Amino acid sequence: MIEVRNLNKSFGEKHILKDFSFVFEKGKSNLIIGESGTGKSVLIKCMVGLVQPDNGEILYNGEDFVSMDYAAQKNIRQDIGMLFQGSALYDSMTSEENVKFPLSMFTEMSEAEKRDRAQFCLERVNLPQAGKLFPAELSGGMKKRVAIARAIAMKPQYLFCDEPNSGLDPRTSILIDDLIKEITEEYQMTTVVITHDMNSVLEIGDRIAFLHKGKKIWEGTRHEILRADNEELSKFVYATKFLQQFRDRLNA
Amino acid sequence: MNPLSLFRHIGAYWLLMRQVFRKPEKWSIFWRRFFEEVNAIGIGSLGIVAIISIFMGAVITIQSAFGFESPWIPLYAVGVAARDSIILEFSPTIVSLILAGKVGSSIASEIGNMRVTEQIDALEVMGVNSAGFLILPKILASVAIFPFVVTISMFLGHLGGFALGVAAGVVTPYEFVYGIQYDFRPYNVFYALTKTLFFGFIIPSVSAYHGYYTKGGSLEVGQSSTKAVVYSIIVLLLFNFILTQLLLA
Ligand SMILES: Nc1ncnc2c1ncn2[C@@H]1O[C@H](COP(=O)(O)OP(=O)(O)OP(=O)(O)O)[C@@H](O)[C@H]1O
Ligand SMILES: [Mg+2]
């Protein structure tokens, strides 16, 4: 479980995150949704320590990450897997080497054990054949899946995904959503997913925080979101004509 | 560049170096990366260094001979002058300047690209000291390998001067060989290789600094790479001056 309390972050004059609080639950997919530029990426970068927040607390199982020293933060980071918006695979390494990298860095596994674990993770994301390929030889969807394989290699307790399905076709996108949902429940991870995609929201949104201009103005579940009584959220949810018609029919 | 931003750069560079010189996560991984860099920086530069050294050695020899066309100066002076130019300045400084272009731009663009594609963030999130992991092997490899590269350049410079100087008919084999041995001072080689150690530190560290703090996209990666070369050269020349003052004056 991760609990964020009253988090604030400004860049110069720009106040990006405003007093954000939310509880990210274990074994669930916790979604952060909101328009482009509201500060979703900044929020999770604060949560994993890539950006220093101005104030507020980020509690990993009750311990505040922000005020920890480097060594303690490092311990927590080894329990974090992260999928970046652009995958961020290491260009100079093959897929298999990418997945093996955290294992080489932080465990004493033998070469054979690492290879097995990497193969297992690649199979888990349906890419058993991709081990020998370099990132430049993978499609966007394959890169994201290899990045997920790398993120789960260390059996993390916390998984962060920044727009795991942006830029993917609907079927691949659903595949990735299902994968995230499955592994979250299977490994009982605290999973944090940023998305703009209403399909994903309805598919995996166990808990949802809606950010608008850096403020959380709604929270709930995927079952509640379609009937939520919030003007800004409605604009976001019913952005497409299709969903608008769906709503009108629901109301009629 | 205004003086204020100069101080800011020096401060940021210093802070980065403090991050770089932390104990590596795992020595086995560090050594593997170290030898990869020795290979990339050192072995990968030998070809260009060899070509430049042979031809510059020849040109220095021919120019010296051209300057000494007087019956009062013995012909072996050509060998003496060529030797001193090669050992004191050509091999340590000019070769390092050329390596600043080759090695500096490749380090800055490699690290800059990792920055803008969030690969550095990915390292940090895993709990890896990204600066140490990426930069330390490059600095140590280049400090270790530069003196060898420069020694090879000295040798090939003399060889080029000998072979092409003789072929061009400006000096005889006997006089050239006598000249390069005449009043030879080992201290000059010591001075040259000491400079090289500093240059071997300056080039990768200044270049990595520019790469590491790249912001933006591929356009900025290109700009960082250019800046890396320009600033490496400026700092290198500055230290060349300071070290020459300290060691020779
Ligand atoms: N390092 C930074 N320095 C200055 N401003 C920043 C920085 N990082 C983010 N911002 C600003 O913070 C705001 C929020 O950015 P963020 O990347 O969090 O948006 P987002 O909600 O993730 O959008 P998207 O859905 O498009 O990814 C933007 O206005 C951006 O310009
Ligand atoms: Mg974002």
Side-chain angles (χ1 to χ4, degrees), chain A residues 45 50 74 77-78 84 88-91 101 104-108 150, chain B residues 25-26 29 113 117-119 121-129 133:
Chain A
K45 282 184 181 164
L50 289 173
K74 209 166 138 167
R77 281 175 163 174
Q78 283 166 33
F84 284 83
L89 293 175
Y90 305 128
D91 288 333
F101 180 78
S104 309
M105 212 70 195
F106 297 111
T107 72
E108 299 300 330
R150 182 178 68 182
Chain B
E25 217 74 55
K26 259 204 182 162
I29 292 181
N113 182 53
T117 55
E118 296 185 312
Q119 292 175 53
D121 287 344
L123 285 171
E124 286 291 327
V125 168
M126 281 180 188
V128 178
N129 167 11
F133 177 76

PDB file of all heavy atoms in Angstrom, chain A residues 45 50 74 77-78 84 88-91 101 104-108 150, chain B residues 25-26 29 113 117-119 121-129 133:
ATOM      1  N   LYS A  45       6.394  10.541 -10.848  1.00  0.00           N
ATOM      2  CA  LYS A  45       7.836  10.769 -10.700  1.00  0.00           C
ATOM      3  C   LYS A  45       8.172  11.196  -9.272  1.00  0.00           C
ATOM      4  O   LYS A  45       9.234  10.842  -8.758  1.00  0.00           O
ATOM      5  CB  LYS A  45       8.326  11.799 -11.714  1.00  0.00           C
ATOM      6  CG  LYS A  45       8.470  11.178 -13.090  1.00  0.00           C
ATOM      7  CD  LYS A  45       9.029  12.105 -14.121  1.00  0.00           C
ATOM      8  CE  LYS A  45       9.114  11.379 -15.458  1.00  0.00           C
ATOM      9  NZ  LYS A  45       9.291  12.309 -16.583  1.00  0.00           N
ATOM     10  N   LEU A  50      11.996  10.413  -8.588  1.00  0.00           N
ATOM     11  CA  LEU A  50      12.730  11.060  -9.687  1.00  0.00           C
ATOM     12  C   LEU A  50      12.582  12.573  -9.627  1.00  0.00           C
ATOM     13  O   LEU A  50      13.386  13.309 -10.179  1.00  0.00           O
ATOM     14  CB  LEU A  50      12.225  10.566 -11.046  1.00  0.00           C
ATOM     15  CG  LEU A  50      12.588   9.131 -11.396  1.00  0.00           C
ATOM     16  CD1 LEU A  50      11.896   8.707 -12.684  1.00  0.00           C
ATOM     17  CD2 LEU A  50      14.090   8.980 -11.533  1.00  0.00           C
ATOM     18  N   LYS A  74      16.845   3.535  -1.640  1.00  0.00           N
ATOM     19  CA  LYS A  74      17.331   2.520  -2.560  1.00  0.00           C
ATOM     20  C   LYS A  74      16.711   1.158  -2.270  1.00  0.00           C
ATOM     21  O   LYS A  74      16.355   0.415  -3.177  1.00  0.00           O
ATOM     22  CB  LYS A  74      18.851   2.436  -2.415  1.00  0.00           C
ATOM     23  CG  LYS A  74      19.527   2.006  -3.658  1.00  0.00           C
ATOM     24  CD  LYS A  74      20.992   2.262  -3.556  1.00  0.00           C
ATOM     25  CE  LYS A  74      21.708   1.077  -4.117  1.00  0.00           C
ATOM     26  NZ  LYS A  74      23.113   1.339  -4.331  1.00  0.00           N
ATOM     27  N   ARG A  77      13.347   1.223  -3.680  1.00  0.00           N
ATOM     28  CA  ARG A  77      13.373   1.216  -5.143  1.00  0.00           C
ATOM     29  C   ARG A  77      13.567  -0.181  -5.711  1.00  0.00           C
ATOM     30  O   ARG A  77      13.139  -0.472  -6.815  1.00  0.00           O
ATOM     31  CB  ARG A  77      14.483   2.130  -5.642  1.00  0.00           C
ATOM     32  CG  ARG A  77      14.058   3.567  -5.575  1.00  0.00           C
ATOM     33  CD  ARG A  77      15.155   4.468  -5.945  1.00  0.00           C
ATOM     34  NE  ARG A  77      14.629   5.780  -6.256  1.00  0.00           N
ATOM     35  CZ  ARG A  77      15.387   6.827  -6.520  1.00  0.00           C
ATOM     36  NH1 ARG A  77      16.679   6.708  -6.540  1.00  0.00           N
ATOM     37  NH2 ARG A  77      14.841   7.976  -6.793  1.00  0.00           N
ATOM     38  N   GLN A  78      14.253  -1.032  -4.952  1.00  0.00           N
ATOM     39  CA  GLN A  78      14.419  -2.384  -5.470  1.00  0.00           C
ATOM     40  C   GLN A  78      13.111  -3.164  -5.425  1.00  0.00           C
ATOM     41  O   GLN A  78      13.013  -4.239  -6.011  1.00  0.00           O
ATOM     42  CB  GLN A  78      15.545  -3.088  -4.716  1.00  0.00           C
ATOM     43  CG  GLN A  78      16.877  -2.571  -5.243  1.00  0.00           C
ATOM     44  CD  GLN A  78      18.047  -2.936  -4.377  1.00  0.00           C
ATOM     45  OE1 GLN A  78      18.049  -3.990  -3.759  1.00  0.00           O
ATOM     46  NE2 GLN A  78      19.037  -2.072  -4.333  1.00  0.00           N
ATOM     47  N   PHE A  84       7.915   3.172 -18.233  1.00  0.00           N
ATOM     48  CA  PHE A  84       7.920   4.592 -18.611  1.00  0.00           C
ATOM     49  C   PHE A  84       7.054   4.836 -19.841  1.00  0.00           C
ATOM     50  O   PHE A  84       6.780   3.935 -20.625  1.00  0.00           O
ATOM     51  CB  PHE A  84       9.350   5.054 -18.898  1.00  0.00           C
ATOM     52  CG  PHE A  84      10.152   5.262 -17.659  1.00  0.00           C
ATOM     53  CD1 PHE A  84      10.769   4.199 -17.026  1.00  0.00           C
ATOM     54  CD2 PHE A  84      10.268   6.523 -17.103  1.00  0.00           C
ATOM     55  CE1 PHE A  84      11.497   4.383 -15.866  1.00  0.00           C
ATOM     56  CE2 PHE A  84      10.987   6.721 -15.940  1.00  0.00           C
ATOM     57  CZ  PHE A  84      11.602   5.647 -15.330  1.00  0.00           C
ATOM     58  N   ALA A  88      11.641   3.253 -22.344  1.00  0.00           N
ATOM     59  CA  ALA A  88      12.962   3.448 -21.727  1.00  0.00           C
ATOM     60  C   ALA A  88      13.758   2.154 -21.600  1.00  0.00           C
ATOM     61  O   ALA A  88      14.438   1.916 -20.612  1.00  0.00           O
ATOM     62  CB  ALA A  88      12.849   4.144 -20.358  1.00  0.00           C
ATOM     63  N   LEU A  89      13.677   1.302 -22.618  1.00  0.00           N
ATOM     64  CA  LEU A  89      14.548   0.120 -22.627  1.00  0.00           C
ATOM     65  C   LEU A  89      15.972   0.579 -22.903  1.00  0.00           C
ATOM     66  O   LEU A  89      16.185   1.589 -23.572  1.00  0.00           O
ATOM     67  CB  LEU A  89      14.104  -0.846 -23.726  1.00  0.00           C
ATOM     68  CG  LEU A  89      12.741  -1.504 -23.516  1.00  0.00           C
ATOM     69  CD1 LEU A  89      12.373  -2.333 -24.739  1.00  0.00           C
ATOM     70  CD2 LEU A  89      12.739  -2.374 -22.272  1.00  0.00           C
ATOM     71  N   TYR A  90      16.957  -0.191 -22.383  1.00  0.00           N
ATOM     72  CA  TYR A  90      18.349   0.165 -22.647  1.00  0.00           C
ATOM     73  C   TYR A  90      18.716  -0.240 -24.074  1.00  0.00           C
ATOM     74  O   TYR A  90      18.732  -1.422 -24.410  1.00  0.00           O
ATOM     75  CB  TYR A  90      19.272  -0.509 -21.621  1.00  0.00           C
ATOM     76  CG  TYR A  90      18.877  -0.192 -20.205  1.00  0.00           C
ATOM     77  CD1 TYR A  90      18.679  -1.185 -19.269  1.00  0.00           C
ATOM     78  CD2 TYR A  90      18.659   1.130 -19.815  1.00  0.00           C
ATOM     79  CE1 TYR A  90      18.288  -0.882 -17.969  1.00  0.00           C
ATOM     80  CE2 TYR A  90      18.265   1.440 -18.521  1.00  0.00           C
ATOM     81  CZ  TYR A  90      18.078   0.433 -17.607  1.00  0.00           C
ATOM     82  OH  TYR A  90      17.693   0.732 -16.335  1.00  0.00           O
ATOM     83  N   ASP A  91      18.997   0.776 -24.896  1.00  0.00           N
ATOM     84  CA  ASP A  91      19.249   0.572 -26.329  1.00  0.00           C
ATOM     85  C   ASP A  91      20.363  -0.417 -26.632  1.00  0.00           C
ATOM     86  O   ASP A  91      20.328  -1.112 -27.630  1.00  0.00           O
ATOM     87  CB  ASP A  91      19.718   1.897 -26.968  1.00  0.00           C
ATOM     88  CG  ASP A  91      18.580   2.873 -27.070  1.00  0.00           C
ATOM     89  OD1 ASP A  91      17.428   2.406 -27.160  1.00  0.00           O
ATOM     90  OD2 ASP A  91      18.849   4.086 -27.060  1.00  0.00           O
ATOM     91  N   PHE A 101      19.043  -7.281 -16.476  1.00  0.00           N
ATOM     92  CA  PHE A 101      19.866  -6.216 -15.900  1.00  0.00           C
ATOM     93  C   PHE A 101      19.654  -6.010 -14.396  1.00  0.00           C
ATOM     94  O   PHE A 101      20.622  -6.047 -13.631  1.00  0.00           O
ATOM     95  CB  PHE A 101      19.656  -4.911 -16.669  1.00  0.00           C
ATOM     96  CG  PHE A 101      20.457  -3.776 -16.137  1.00  0.00           C
ATOM     97  CD1 PHE A 101      21.803  -3.663 -16.425  1.00  0.00           C
ATOM     98  CD2 PHE A 101      19.883  -2.828 -15.300  1.00  0.00           C
ATOM     99  CE1 PHE A 101      22.557  -2.633 -15.909  1.00  0.00           C
ATOM    100  CE2 PHE A 101      20.627  -1.791 -14.782  1.00  0.00           C
ATOM    101  CZ  PHE A 101      21.971  -1.694 -15.086  1.00  0.00           C
ATOM    102  N   SER A 104      21.176  -8.872 -12.453  1.00  0.00           N
ATOM    103  CA  SER A 104      22.641  -8.840 -12.350  1.00  0.00           C
ATOM    104  C   SER A 104      23.090  -7.796 -11.344  1.00  0.00           C
ATOM    105  O   SER A 104      24.073  -7.978 -10.638  1.00  0.00           O
ATOM    106  CB  SER A 104      23.271  -8.484 -13.695  1.00  0.00           C
ATOM    107  OG  SER A 104      22.773  -9.280 -14.708  1.00  0.00           O
ATOM    108  N   MET A 105      22.353  -6.699 -11.328  1.00  0.00           N
ATOM    109  CA  MET A 105      22.770  -5.580 -10.502  1.00  0.00           C
ATOM    110  C   MET A 105      22.530  -5.849  -9.016  1.00  0.00           C
ATOM    111  O   MET A 105      23.329  -5.456  -8.178  1.00  0.00           O
ATOM    112  CB  MET A 105      21.958  -4.357 -10.947  1.00  0.00           C
ATOM    113  CG  MET A 105      22.657  -3.070 -10.832  1.00  0.00           C
ATOM    114  SD  MET A 105      23.986  -2.937 -12.034  1.00  0.00           S
ATOM    115  CE  MET A 105      24.854  -1.566 -11.370  1.00  0.00           C
ATOM    116  N   PHE A 106      21.432  -6.512  -8.711  1.00  0.00           N
ATOM    117  CA  PHE A 106      21.023  -6.560  -7.303  1.00  0.00           C
ATOM    118  C   PHE A 106      20.880  -7.953  -6.703  1.00  0.00           C
ATOM    119  O   PHE A 106      20.519  -8.084  -5.546  1.00  0.00           O
ATOM    120  CB  PHE A 106      19.691  -5.821  -7.122  1.00  0.00           C
ATOM    121  CG  PHE A 106      19.791  -4.368  -7.458  1.00  0.00           C
ATOM    122  CD1 PHE A 106      19.145  -3.857  -8.577  1.00  0.00           C
ATOM    123  CD2 PHE A 106      20.543  -3.511  -6.676  1.00  0.00           C
ATOM    124  CE1 PHE A 106      19.252  -2.518  -8.895  1.00  0.00           C
ATOM    125  CE2 PHE A 106      20.652  -2.172  -7.000  1.00  0.00           C
ATOM    126  CZ  PHE A 106      20.000  -1.672  -8.106  1.00  0.00           C
ATOM    127  N   THR A 107      21.091  -9.000  -7.495  1.00  0.00           N
ATOM    128  CA  THR A 107      20.976 -10.329  -6.898  1.00  0.00           C
ATOM    129  C   THR A 107      22.266 -11.091  -7.146  1.00  0.00           C
ATOM    130  O   THR A 107      23.113 -10.658  -7.914  1.00  0.00           O
ATOM    131  CB  THR A 107      19.812 -11.144  -7.512  1.00  0.00           C
ATOM    132  OG1 THR A 107      20.171 -11.527  -8.837  1.00  0.00           O
ATOM    133  CG2 THR A 107      18.524 -10.356  -7.531  1.00  0.00           C
ATOM    134  N   GLU A 108      22.382 -12.228  -6.481  1.00  0.00           N
ATOM    135  CA  GLU A 108      23.560 -13.070  -6.675  1.00  0.00           C
ATOM    136  C   GLU A 108      23.199 -14.296  -7.508  1.00  0.00           C
ATOM    137  O   GLU A 108      23.851 -15.322  -7.429  1.00  0.00           O
ATOM    138  CB  GLU A 108      24.128 -13.504  -5.314  1.00  0.00           C
ATOM    139  CG  GLU A 108      24.579 -12.356  -4.423  1.00  0.00           C
ATOM    140  CD  GLU A 108      25.691 -11.517  -5.057  1.00  0.00           C
ATOM    141  OE1 GLU A 108      26.480 -12.077  -5.847  1.00  0.00           O
ATOM    142  OE2 GLU A 108      25.745 -10.305  -4.785  1.00  0.00           O
ATOM    143  N   ARG A 150      10.741  -6.383 -17.832  1.00  0.00           N
ATOM    144  CA  ARG A 150      11.861  -5.879 -17.038  1.00  0.00           C
ATOM    145  C   ARG A 150      11.371  -5.375 -15.678  1.00  0.00           C
ATOM    146  O   ARG A 150      12.013  -5.600 -14.656  1.00  0.00           O
ATOM    147  CB  ARG A 150      12.567  -4.754 -17.791  1.00  0.00           C
ATOM    148  CG  ARG A 150      13.766  -4.200 -17.049  1.00  0.00           C
ATOM    149  CD  ARG A 150      14.489  -3.119 -17.813  1.00  0.00           C
ATOM    150  NE  ARG A 150      13.705  -1.904 -17.937  1.00  0.00           N
ATOM    151  CZ  ARG A 150      14.099  -0.819 -18.598  1.00  0.00           C
ATOM    152  NH1 ARG A 150      15.263  -0.806 -19.216  1.00  0.00           N
ATOM    153  NH2 ARG A 150      13.335   0.236 -18.667  1.00  0.00           N
TER     154      ARG A 150
ATOM    155  N   GLU B  25      28.151  -0.325  -7.586  1.00  0.00           N
ATOM    156  CA  GLU B  25      27.192  -1.299  -7.069  1.00  0.00           C
ATOM    157  C   GLU B  25      27.825  -2.680  -6.978  1.00  0.00           C
ATOM    158  O   GLU B  25      27.795  -3.336  -5.946  1.00  0.00           O
ATOM    159  CB  GLU B  25      26.034  -1.373  -8.062  1.00  0.00           C
ATOM    160  CG  GLU B  25      24.697  -1.548  -7.447  1.00  0.00           C
ATOM    161  CD  GLU B  25      24.261  -0.247  -6.815  1.00  0.00           C
ATOM    162  OE1 GLU B  25      24.223   0.799  -7.495  1.00  0.00           O
ATOM    163  OE2 GLU B  25      23.986  -0.302  -5.616  1.00  0.00           O
ATOM    164  N   LYS B  26      28.364  -3.097  -8.120  1.00  0.00           N
ATOM    165  CA  LYS B  26      28.966  -4.430  -8.204  1.00  0.00           C
ATOM    166  C   LYS B  26      30.243  -4.327  -8.988  1.00  0.00           C
ATOM    167  O   LYS B  26      30.252  -3.851 -10.123  1.00  0.00           O
ATOM    168  CB  LYS B  26      28.002  -5.364  -8.946  1.00  0.00           C
ATOM    169  CG  LYS B  26      27.225  -6.250  -8.030  1.00  0.00           C
ATOM    170  CD  LYS B  26      26.770  -7.476  -8.749  1.00  0.00           C
ATOM    171  CE  LYS B  26      25.939  -8.346  -7.836  1.00  0.00           C
ATOM    172  NZ  LYS B  26      25.149  -9.290  -8.620  1.00  0.00           N
ATOM    173  N   ILE B  29      30.380  -6.017 -12.525  1.00  0.00           N
ATOM    174  CA  ILE B  29      29.750  -5.258 -13.612  1.00  0.00           C
ATOM    175  C   ILE B  29      30.605  -4.057 -13.976  1.00  0.00           C
ATOM    176  O   ILE B  29      30.795  -3.737 -15.151  1.00  0.00           O
ATOM    177  CB  ILE B  29      28.326  -4.834 -13.202  1.00  0.00           C
ATOM    178  CG1 ILE B  29      27.439  -6.064 -13.098  1.00  0.00           C
ATOM    179  CG2 ILE B  29      27.757  -3.831 -14.194  1.00  0.00           C
ATOM    180  CD1 ILE B  29      26.019  -5.793 -12.720  1.00  0.00           C
ATOM    181  N   ASN B 113      21.365  10.859 -25.194  1.00  0.00           N
ATOM    182  CA  ASN B 113      20.252  10.084 -25.721  1.00  0.00           C
ATOM    183  C   ASN B 113      19.598   9.255 -24.619  1.00  0.00           C
ATOM    184  O   ASN B 113      18.370   9.150 -24.547  1.00  0.00           O
ATOM    185  CB  ASN B 113      20.747   9.178 -26.850  1.00  0.00           C
ATOM    186  CG  ASN B 113      19.624   8.387 -27.461  1.00  0.00           C
ATOM    187  OD1 ASN B 113      18.622   8.957 -27.868  1.00  0.00           O
ATOM    188  ND2 ASN B 113      19.769   7.084 -27.495  1.00  0.00           N
ATOM    189  N   THR B 117      15.572   9.780 -23.515  1.00  0.00           N
ATOM    190  CA  THR B 117      14.644   8.658 -23.666  1.00  0.00           C
ATOM    191  C   THR B 117      14.333   8.006 -22.311  1.00  0.00           C
ATOM    192  O   THR B 117      13.816   6.901 -22.260  1.00  0.00           O
ATOM    193  CB  THR B 117      15.211   7.576 -24.615  1.00  0.00           C
ATOM    194  OG1 THR B 117      16.495   7.176 -24.118  1.00  0.00           O
ATOM    195  CG2 THR B 117      15.376   8.118 -26.019  1.00  0.00           C
ATOM    196  N   GLU B 118      14.664   8.713 -21.227  1.00  0.00           N
ATOM    197  CA  GLU B 118      14.340   8.281 -19.863  1.00  0.00           C
ATOM    198  C   GLU B 118      15.067   7.013 -19.428  1.00  0.00           C
ATOM    199  O   GLU B 118      14.711   6.401 -18.431  1.00  0.00           O
ATOM    200  CB  GLU B 118      12.822   8.080 -19.686  1.00  0.00           C
ATOM    201  CG  GLU B 118      12.030   9.379 -19.853  1.00  0.00           C
ATOM    202  CD  GLU B 118      10.543   9.213 -19.561  1.00  0.00           C
ATOM    203  OE1 GLU B 118       9.951   8.257 -20.095  1.00  0.00           O
ATOM    204  OE2 GLU B 118       9.986  10.022 -18.810  1.00  0.00           O
ATOM    205  N   GLN B 119      16.105   6.607 -20.172  1.00  0.00           N
ATOM    206  CA  GLN B 119      16.857   5.419 -19.743  1.00  0.00           C
ATOM    207  C   GLN B 119      17.605   5.702 -18.440  1.00  0.00           C
ATOM    208  O   GLN B 119      17.793   4.800 -17.621  1.00  0.00           O
ATOM    209  CB  GLN B 119      17.843   4.979 -20.822  1.00  0.00           C
ATOM    210  CG  GLN B 119      17.153   4.434 -22.068  1.00  0.00           C
ATOM    211  CD  GLN B 119      18.136   4.100 -23.181  1.00  0.00           C
ATOM    212  OE1 GLN B 119      19.082   3.373 -22.991  1.00  0.00           O
ATOM    213  NE2 GLN B 119      17.890   4.656 -24.357  1.00  0.00           N
ATOM    214  N   ASP B 121      16.512   7.776 -16.086  1.00  0.00           N
ATOM    215  CA  ASP B 121      15.478   7.680 -15.051  1.00  0.00           C
ATOM    216  C   ASP B 121      15.199   6.215 -14.711  1.00  0.00           C
ATOM    217  O   ASP B 121      14.991   5.876 -13.541  1.00  0.00           O
ATOM    218  CB  ASP B 121      14.176   8.346 -15.525  1.00  0.00           C
ATOM    219  CG  ASP B 121      14.284   9.858 -15.542  1.00  0.00           C
ATOM    220  OD1 ASP B 121      15.220  10.388 -14.913  1.00  0.00           O
ATOM    221  OD2 ASP B 121      13.436  10.507 -16.172  1.00  0.00           O
ATOM    222  N   ALA B 122      15.180   5.376 -15.740  1.00  0.00           N
ATOM    223  CA  ALA B 122      14.912   3.954 -15.494  1.00  0.00           C
ATOM    224  C   ALA B 122      15.992   3.355 -14.594  1.00  0.00           C
ATOM    225  O   ALA B 122      15.686   2.562 -13.702  1.00  0.00           O
ATOM    226  CB  ALA B 122      14.820   3.188 -16.811  1.00  0.00           C
ATOM    227  N   LEU B 123      17.244   3.753 -14.805  1.00  0.00           N
ATOM    228  CA  LEU B 123      18.323   3.275 -13.925  1.00  0.00           C
ATOM    229  C   LEU B 123      18.095   3.760 -12.502  1.00  0.00           C
ATOM    230  O   LEU B 123      18.212   2.998 -11.540  1.00  0.00           O
ATOM    231  CB  LEU B 123      19.679   3.790 -14.417  1.00  0.00           C
ATOM    232  CG  LEU B 123      20.278   3.139 -15.654  1.00  0.00           C
ATOM    233  CD1 LEU B 123      21.496   3.929 -16.120  1.00  0.00           C
ATOM    234  CD2 LEU B 123      20.675   1.701 -15.369  1.00  0.00           C
ATOM    235  N   GLU B 124      17.766   5.038 -12.367  1.00  0.00           N
ATOM    236  CA  GLU B 124      17.582   5.619 -11.034  1.00  0.00           C
ATOM    237  C   GLU B 124      16.444   4.940 -10.297  1.00  0.00           C
ATOM    238  O   GLU B 124      16.552   4.661  -9.105  1.00  0.00           O
ATOM    239  CB  GLU B 124      17.314   7.129 -11.145  1.00  0.00           C
ATOM    240  CG  GLU B 124      18.544   7.951 -11.489  1.00  0.00           C
ATOM    241  CD  GLU B 124      19.564   7.989 -10.350  1.00  0.00           C
ATOM    242  OE1 GLU B 124      19.142   7.966  -9.181  1.00  0.00           O
ATOM    243  OE2 GLU B 124      20.774   8.027 -10.640  1.00  0.00           O
ATOM    244  N   VAL B 125      15.321   4.687 -11.001  1.00  0.00           N
ATOM    245  CA  VAL B 125      14.173   4.062 -10.339  1.00  0.00           C
ATOM    246  C   VAL B 125      14.535   2.682  -9.817  1.00  0.00           C
ATOM    247  O   VAL B 125      14.089   2.261  -8.758  1.00  0.00           O
ATOM    248  CB  VAL B 125      12.959   3.980 -11.298  1.00  0.00           C
ATOM    249  CG1 VAL B 125      11.883   3.089 -10.720  1.00  0.00           C
ATOM    250  CG2 VAL B 125      12.406   5.352 -11.560  1.00  0.00           C
ATOM    251  N   MET B 126      15.395   1.972 -10.573  1.00  0.00           N
ATOM    252  CA  MET B 126      15.824   0.653 -10.098  1.00  0.00           C
ATOM    253  C   MET B 126      16.694   0.744  -8.857  1.00  0.00           C
ATOM    254  O   MET B 126      16.953  -0.269  -8.208  1.00  0.00           O
ATOM    255  CB  MET B 126      16.656  -0.036 -11.181  1.00  0.00           C
ATOM    256  CG  MET B 126      15.835  -0.635 -12.276  1.00  0.00           C
ATOM    257  SD  MET B 126      16.953  -1.405 -13.461  1.00  0.00           S
ATOM    258  CE  MET B 126      15.773  -1.803 -14.738  1.00  0.00           C
ATOM    259  N   GLY B 127      17.208   1.943  -8.573  1.00  0.00           N
ATOM    260  CA  GLY B 127      18.109   2.079  -7.432  1.00  0.00           C
ATOM    261  C   GLY B 127      19.572   2.044  -7.849  1.00  0.00           C
ATOM    262  O   GLY B 127      20.451   1.829  -7.026  1.00  0.00           O
ATOM    263  N   VAL B 128      19.839   2.227  -9.146  1.00  0.00           N
ATOM    264  CA  VAL B 128      21.225   2.264  -9.631  1.00  0.00           C
ATOM    265  C   VAL B 128      21.695   3.720  -9.620  1.00  0.00           C
ATOM    266  O   VAL B 128      20.946   4.612 -10.004  1.00  0.00           O
ATOM    267  CB  VAL B 128      21.308   1.715 -11.079  1.00  0.00           C
ATOM    268  CG1 VAL B 128      22.729   1.803 -11.618  1.00  0.00           C
ATOM    269  CG2 VAL B 128      20.801   0.288 -11.141  1.00  0.00           C
ATOM    270  N   ASN B 129      22.924   3.944  -9.176  1.00  0.00           N
ATOM    271  CA  ASN B 129      23.532   5.275  -9.251  1.00  0.00           C
ATOM    272  C   ASN B 129      23.924   5.502 -10.715  1.00  0.00           C
ATOM    273  O   ASN B 129      24.976   5.059 -11.157  1.00  0.00           O
ATOM    274  CB  ASN B 129      24.738   5.310  -8.312  1.00  0.00           C
ATOM    275  CG  ASN B 129      25.632   6.512  -8.542  1.00  0.00           C
ATOM    276  OD1 ASN B 129      25.281   7.452  -9.260  1.00  0.00           O
ATOM    277  ND2 ASN B 129      26.795   6.481  -7.933  1.00  0.00           N
ATOM    278  N   PHE B 133      27.355   4.525 -12.647  1.00  0.00           N
ATOM    279  CA  PHE B 133      27.268   3.377 -13.548  1.00  0.00           C
ATOM    280  C   PHE B 133      27.710   3.742 -14.962  1.00  0.00           C
ATOM    281  O   PHE B 133      28.459   3.010 -15.603  1.00  0.00           O
ATOM    282  CB  PHE B 133      25.836   2.850 -13.557  1.00  0.00           C
ATOM    283  CG  PHE B 133      25.600   1.717 -14.502  1.00  0.00           C
ATOM    284  CD1 PHE B 133      26.037   0.435 -14.193  1.00  0.00           C
ATOM    285  CD2 PHE B 133      24.948   1.922 -15.707  1.00  0.00           C
ATOM    286  CE1 PHE B 133      25.823  -0.614 -15.066  1.00  0.00           C
ATOM    287  CE2 PHE B 133      24.727   0.871 -16.591  1.00  0.00           C
ATOM    288  CZ  PHE B 133      25.172  -0.404 -16.267  1.00  0.00           C
TER     289      PHE B 133
END
